[in-house]
Amino acid sequence: MGIVVLTMKASVIEMFLVLLVTGIHSNKEMTKIKRPKFNVPQINCDVKAGKIINPEFVVKCPAGCQDPKYHVYGTDVYASYSSVCAAAVHSGVLDNSGGKILVRKVAGQSGYKGSYSNGVQSLSLPRWRESFIISEGKPPKGVTYPSALTYSSPKSQAAKAGETTKAYQNPSVPGTTAEPVTLMQVPGTTLVKATHTTLPKPSLSAGSTTSSPRLQPVGHRSWELDLWSTITYTSSQNSPRGNPGETDLWKPGSVLLDAGFVPKEELSTQSLEPISQGDPNCKVDLSFLMDGSASIGKRRFRIQKQFLADIAQALDIGPAGPLMGVVQYSDNPATQFNLKTHMNSQDLKAAVEKITQRGGLSNVGRAISFVTKNFFSKTNGNRGSAPNVAVVMVDGWPTDKVEEASRVARESGINIFFITIEGAVENEKQYVMEPNFANKAVCRTNGFYSLSVQSWFSLHKTVQPLVKRVCDTERLACSKTCFNSADIGFVIDGSSSVGTGNFRTVLQFVANLSKEFEISDTDTRIGAVQYTYEQRLEFGFDMYSTKSDILNAIKRVGYWSGGTSTGAAISYALEQLFKKSKPNKRKLMILITDGRSYDDVRIPAMAAYHKGVITYAIGIAWAAQDELDIIASYPAKDHAFFVDEFDNLYKFVPKVIQNICTEFNSQPRN
């Protein structure tokens, strides 16, 4: 009997061990099945980081993202308005063939500096709400990332075709839990009720907020939401009903979306995304000088603010289009906000609404001087490549003079527009300090730059005409042109072969060229060097600031006579003339010679190129064409000219001017 009992006990123990091993094996298999395989999501080159909700993720970029149409803002740390993959190429983590990258969101920056790197030109941006950094696409050990990304819009074209966009969960580390997104019901929508026979569904009522439970380790009750496809509930052995490993499914399709439920992150991201980058066909830096004097009154001041808001809306403000700031003037001017404060029309309109009237006099001239000295600076958002425009609004007439302040502004490249509302009638003109002040302020008196409005109540009719004129950058004559933006240095051959009579002809040619330019301290400046074996500075850029003084100085240049050392003359001009050129000026060297140089011109010509000097070489009679081509900037056909005799020099004035202006217009405007 004892033997039988022992045998039965052994059988029971053996059976228990078999069941235990089988259960462990079964649990292992379940664990394997439940562990998701990580597939790296793929995105297109045009996907911006701000469109992806996940704060940290791994993605695969395609080839070809080096294309300049994919915009990048910043260096090393990029604004979230940047293309993710183009930023990866710029950073050097990827090349143009694509690959995997790790992206991590960081805080927004107060400014982003553009740079050229790895074949990508990134742009500067004053500030942005969110940033990201890029590293190689190798996740840290033990950390997993989502195999599908959460976008700010379920209809985003940025997602790869066919890719499932899931609710975001933070990268998980074994032994930790992750918090799924919270669903919010959009007010005014109705939840579609779905039936289910196994598990009780969460109670979601209009206007309520329900958070999903935390994900639990394997073996506990858990559920996962798939926002865009299905919702799956899994019950395990600890569930109130069902067997171990049994899975119940509730698949209402897009019920949650149709009911108006969207993730919190989507709501916040959509509200932060800019409406537009701005109208690229109207890229101007614009300052409005609004009248805050006491004479305007509160009602008309409100009309003025509405006018500015309408202008902002019509312009389509943005970093790739027009930027706008506002200065209010009265006794003294004050900047309400500068060019980089607001990057879209909506924000700018809200800022205009908050402006309060200062009261006082109507010192327009003082306000224009303030704008010239302070407003259009790099720190205030001036881009340099966009024309500067100042629109001055005047109620009645100014209480100070505007002509001189406006002239300095124009010479600084500012296009001034005057809008005069309810100007002085005949019996009031005796009180106007400066008659015809508007015509004296603008750079053209053809009516393009000045508008006269009979009544404040008809000011709204001026919105579209003004926007059209401001955006017509081809007609903005006050901005920098080929005639008012250069330091021009003439290098004149005074060798014995030229002779006294021909030297006077050369000086007349120099004078004829100089006449074509607008000469002043702030516009084009002229300097001259004469050379033989030696060199002599006839006058520098800072010696004369009017056209008449320059022409008289040219007449006084005396003929020197001697040899022809053109290479040494170029080096001398670089040191004595162009070293003192202003940073914002184009540097033009116009060299005139009648023979081959006694010294080498290659090295000096190369030095001129490296110093940013554009060289035009004009040869007469015995000058060597091959040497002119070496001296002249590339391409030589546009910068080297040969004249058969001195008396024909005057014929080349229009051609030289035309080529100078053609080259200027092909470059980014300053």
Side-chain angles (χ1 to χ4, degrees):
M1 186 69 178
I3 295 174
V4 173
V5 172
L6 182 62
T7 303
M8 290 178 65
K9 287 183 177 179
S11 298
V12 171
I13 293 171
E14 183 179 2
M15 185 180 297
F16 176 77
L17 290 173
V18 169
L19 290 173
L20 181 62
V21 171
T22 303
I24 292 172
H25 179 73
S26 176
N27 284 339
K28 285 183 178 179
E29 291 300 319
M30 288 173 62
T31 303
K32 287 181 180 179
I33 292 171
K34 291 187 178 183
R35 182 179 296 132
K37 183 180 179 182
F38 176 57
N39 294 317
V40 178
Q42 295 189 32
I43 61 174
N44 296 328
C45 296
D46 59 352
V47 175
K48 299 171 183 175
K51 281 288 185 182
I52 301 172
I53 293 177
N54 311 62
E56 192 169 347
F57 52 91
V58 174
V59 291
K60 185 176 182 181
C61 292
C65 295
Q66 198 178 53
D67 194 304
K69 69 181 179 181
Y70 306 120
H71 295 161
V72 179
Y73 299 89
T75 302
D76 297 329
V77 178
Y78 302 97
S80 63
Y81 203 63
S82 305
S83 157
V84 173
C85 296
V89 177
H90 182 272
S91 69
V93 174
L94 292 183
D95 57 25
N96 202 36
S97 61
K100 291 191 294 184
I101 56 172
L102 173 60
V103 180
R104 182 162 60 90
K105 299 284 188 69
V106 294
Q109 306 290 307
S110 59
Y112 299 84
K113 185 177 181 181
S115 65
Y116 182 82
S117 179
N118 302 307
V120 176
Q121 175 65 60
S122 71
L123 306 174
S124 296
L125 196 64
R127 62 173 180 165
W128 201 247
R129 65 182 179 276
E130 183 185 56
S131 311
F132 67 98
I133 56 177
I134 295 173
S135 56
E136 293 184 3
K138 296 179 180 179
K141 189 175 181 181
V143 179
T144 58
Y145 291 91
S147 57
L149 302 175
T150 306
Y151 289 86
S152 61
S153 171
K155 297 181 180 180
S156 174
Q157 297 178 355
K160 184 183 175 185
E163 177 182 313
T164 303
T165 309
K166 293 187 176 181
Y168 173 69
Q169 296 173 359
N170 286 320
S172 59
V173 181
T176 63
T177 59
E179 182 75 32
V181 297
T182 300
L183 297 181
M184 296 182 65
Q185 184 168 3
V186 178
T189 60
T190 305
L191 176 63
V192 179
K193 189 172 182 179
T195 61
H196 188 262
T197 58
T198 306
L199 289 177
K201 296 174 289 299
S203 175
L204 300 174
S205 59
S208 67
T209 302
T210 304
S211 298
S212 58
R214 289 184 177 273
L215 292 178
Q216 301 296 328
V218 175
H220 291 264
R221 184 181 180 190
S222 63
W223 57 288
E224 180 183 18
L225 295 182
D226 185 334
L227 289 179
W228 315 130
S229 53
T230 62
I231 298 182
T232 304
Y233 292 93
T234 304
S235 62
S236 68
Q237 58 188 7
N238 290 337
S239 175
R241 62 171 64 86
N243 298 321
E246 180 181 333
T247 303
D248 295 325
L249 298 178
W250 176 34
K251 298 184 178 181
S254 58
V255 169
L256 284 177
L257 289 179
D258 294 338
F261 283 88
V262 291
K264 278 183 178 179
E265 290 90 341
E266 179 179 334
L267 293 175
S268 61
T269 304
Q270 285 179 328
S271 65
L272 288 171
E273 279 298 319
I275 298 171
S276 168
Q277 272 201 292
D279 181 6
N281 297 316
C282 182
K283 189 177 180 181
V284 295
D285 289 342
L286 177 64
S287 171
F288 263 88
L289 282 71
M290 67 184 303
D291 192 340
S293 62
S295 63
I296 193 174
K298 292 182 178 180
R299 185 179 183 184
R300 288 180 290 186
F301 189 77
R302 285 196 299 270
I303 294 173
Q304 185 178 206
K305 291 204 300 182
Q306 183 59 53
F307 176 76
L308 294 184
D310 293 342
I311 290 288
Q313 186 64 46
L315 281 173
D316 188 11
I317 301 297
L323 296 180
M324 178 175 158
V326 173
V327 171
Q328 183 182 173
Y329 69 87
S330 52
D331 289 336
N332 293 297
T335 301
Q336 301 295 320
F337 50 85
N338 61 33
L339 294 168
K340 67 181 183 181
T341 307
H342 303 293
M343 287 290 155
N344 60 70
S345 296
Q346 184 177 353
D347 290 349
L348 199 146
K349 288 166 63 179
V352 168
E353 180 59 32
K354 295 177 182 177
I355 296 175
T356 57
Q357 186 178 359
R358 294 170 61 85
L361 299 175
S362 182
N363 289 332
V364 178
R366 184 176 295 177
I368 294 173
S369 295
F370 173 84
V371 167
T372 303
K373 295 175 182 177
N374 303 292
F375 188 86
F376 290 107
S377 64
K378 188 175 182 180
T379 55
N380 284 336
N382 186 34
R383 291 172 285 187
S385 59
N388 296 156
V389 177
V391 179
V392 184
M393 302 186 69
V394 182
D395 172 49
W397 55 88
T399 53
D400 65 349
K401 293 187 176 181
V402 302
E403 183 176 10
E404 181 60 20
S406 299
R407 182 189 67 80
V408 174
R410 295 197 308 269
E411 290 178 352
S412 300
I414 300 174
N415 299 271
I416 297 182
F417 286 77
F418 256 69
I419 302 178
T420 306
I421 307 102
E422 297 181 5
V425 294
E426 197 60 37
N427 62 346
E428 294 175 326
K429 290 182 179 179
Q430 57 181 316
Y431 304 114
V432 178
M433 181 177 292
E434 192 175 27
N436 299 318
F437 61 88
N439 285 339
K440 293 178 180 179
V442 299
C443 61
R444 296 288 186 274
T445 57
N446 56 6
F448 182 80
Y449 290 92
S450 56
L451 297 96
S452 180
V453 182
Q454 297 303 313
S455 168
W456 278 96
F457 302 105
S458 59
L459 181 61
H460 64 279
K461 298 178 182 178
T462 313
V463 171
Q464 289 303 326
L466 179 63
V467 167
K468 186 176 180 180
R469 297 183 193 193
V470 166
C471 293
D472 189 359
T473 55
E474 295 301 317
R475 292 187 66 183
L476 296 180
C478 301
S479 54
K480 293 300 181 185
T481 69
C482 58
F483 299 109
N484 67 3
S485 60
D487 280 344
I488 302 176
F490 289 96
V491 181
I492 306 167
D493 184 347
S495 61
S496 302
S497 58
V498 174
T500 304
N502 289 334
F503 187 77
R504 305 317 302 176
T505 302
V506 170
L507 292 182
Q508 186 59 54
F509 174 75
V510 171
N512 290 341
L513 282 174
S514 300
K515 287 177 184 177
E516 298 295 324
F517 295 92
E518 298 172 23
I519 297 170
S520 77
D521 286 334
T522 55
D523 292 306
T524 292
R525 303 188 303 170
I526 305 291
V529 167
Q530 183 181 176
Y531 75 94
T532 57
Y533 284 124
E534 298 176 298
Q535 307 83 34
R536 183 169 72 197
L537 179 65
E538 301 293 350
F539 52 89
F541 292 136
D542 55 357
M543 192 170 294
Y544 305 108
S545 58
T546 67
K547 187 174 294 187
S548 59
D549 287 343
I550 287 292
L551 296 178
N552 287 330
I554 293 171
K555 288 180 183 179
R556 292 195 297 268
V557 174
Y559 177 50
W560 204 357
S561 186
T564 310
S565 295
T566 306
I570 295 173
S571 298
Y572 180 87
L574 294 177
E575 186 66 23
Q576 298 298 320
L577 268 181
F578 292 102
K579 193 173 183 179
K580 300 176 182 178
S581 183
K582 291 185 177 180
N584 62 336
K585 297 289 187 181
R586 294 171 68 240
K587 297 185 280 287
L588 304 181
M589 180 190 298
I590 300 177
L591 186 142
I592 308 162
T593 182
D594 79 328
R596 184 178 289 276
S597 178
Y598 292 170
D599 61 355
D600 181 67
V601 298
R602 295 177 183 272
I603 295 176
M606 186 61 67
Y609 168 79
H610 286 302
K611 292 179 183 296
V613 177
I614 301 168
T615 305
Y616 290 82
I618 301 170
I620 313 162
W622 303 281
Q625 183 67 56
D626 62 331
E627 196 171 75
L628 295 176
D629 292 346
I630 292 171
I631 296 170
S633 296
Y634 181 85
K637 65 182 181 65
D638 296 329
H639 297 85
F641 304 87
F642 182 81
V643 186
D644 56 353
E645 56 187 41
F646 285 91
D647 289 340
N648 290 330
L649 262 176
Y650 74 95
K651 297 178 181 179
F652 283 78
V653 171
K655 181 63 176 174
V656 173
I657 295 295
Q658 178 185 341
N659 285 19
I660 288 174
C661 288
T662 299
E663 182 177 65
F664 173 86
N665 293 330
S666 68
Q667 303 300 317
R669 299 185 71 171
N670 186 22

